[in-house]
Amino acid sequence: RMANEEASEQQGFLAALVNEVNWTEPWILGLGAFHVFCTVLILATMDYPRIHIFLLALLGSLVLVSEHINEFCAQHWEEFATEQYFDSAGMFISIVFSLPILLNCIIIVFNMLAGALKMVKSLQRARKRGAARSPGTSTAAAAAANKSTTATTAATDKPKEKKTQ
C-alpha cells in the first residue's frame, strides 16, 4: 500500500513537472540541445575510448557540481528564466540536467564494458590458437624465422676492417 502511494506521488510530481515547466524557454531549449549534442557525440565516437574517457570525466564532473549550479541558478533565475524552477532540494536540476547526463554516462560505461569483453574474447581465442599448435610446428616456425633473420643480418653486417696506421 505504501509503495502504491509513493509511486502515485512520483507520477504526480512528474506530471506536474511536465505540465508546469515552460519547455519553450530559450535556456531549457539550449539545455536540451546540449543533451542531444552530448548523446550524438557519444554515439559518433563509439570506437574512440579515449574520447569516451574524457567525456565520462567531464560529464561526471558536471553532475558533481550540479548542486552548486542549482544554487547559482536559484539566486540568478530572473536573469534567464520566467519562473523559479530551482528548489532547495535540487529536484528540478536533477531531472532536467543530471539525469540525462547520467544516462549518457551509462552509455559510455556499457560501451567500455563491451570493448573490454571483446578484448577478453579475442585474447581467449588467441590463447586457444596458441595452445592448438603442436610443439613441433611452433618450434619449426621459430627456427625458420630465426634463419631468415640471421641471413638478413649476415648480409647487411659486414665485418669492419681494421684501420692500420
Side-chain angles (χ1 to χ4, degrees):
R1 182 177 184 186
M2 191 145 184
N4 287 341
E5 289 175 12
E6 192 174 302
S8 65
E9 197 175 293
Q10 289 175 352
Q11 288 174 348
F13 173 77
L14 290 176
L17 177 75
V18 170
N19 292 330
E20 296 199 19
V21 172
N22 180 3
W23 297 102
T24 61
E25 287 198 48
W27 73 272
I28 292 180
L29 293 175
L31 183 62
F34 167 75
H35 291 312
V36 169
F37 172 76
C38 287
T39 304
V40 169
L41 182 63
I42 288 166
L43 295 176
T45 58
M46 292 296 258
D47 295 330
Y48 301 95
R50 289 183 179 163
I51 293 174
H52 277 189
I53 290 169
F54 171 76
L55 288 173
L56 186 64
L58 179 68
L59 294 174
S61 298
L62 286 174
V63 171
L64 283 174
V65 299
S66 65
E67 182 179 353
H68 299 292
I69 294 171
N70 186 57
E71 289 172 8
F72 178 83
C73 291
Q75 293 171 359
H76 302 282
W77 69 271
E78 294 157 332
E79 298 172 20
F80 60 90
T82 58
E83 293 183 45
Q84 166 57 298
Y85 296 111
F86 305 97
D87 57 335
S88 60
M91 188 61 80
F92 179 77
I93 199 163
S94 294
I95 292 173
V96 299
F97 181 73
S98 297
L99 182 64
I101 289 175
L102 290 173
L103 292 175
N104 279 331
C105 289
I106 288 171
I107 293 171
I108 293 172
V109 169
F110 279 148
N111 185 50
M112 288 179 172
L113 288 173
L117 182 64
K118 187 177 178 181
M119 190 179 303
V120 167
K121 285 183 178 182
S122 69
L123 286 172
Q124 286 176 341
R125 275 188 251 122
R127 281 186 182 167
K128 286 180 182 178
R129 275 188 255 129
R133 291 182 185 156
S134 65
T137 306
S138 62
T139 307
N146 191 19
K147 276 185 182 178
S148 68
T149 304
T150 307
T152 306
T153 306
T156 57
D157 291 342
K158 294 182 181 178
K160 295 181 180 177
E161 295 179 22
K162 293 182 180 179
K163 292 183 181 180
T164 54
Q165 291 181 351

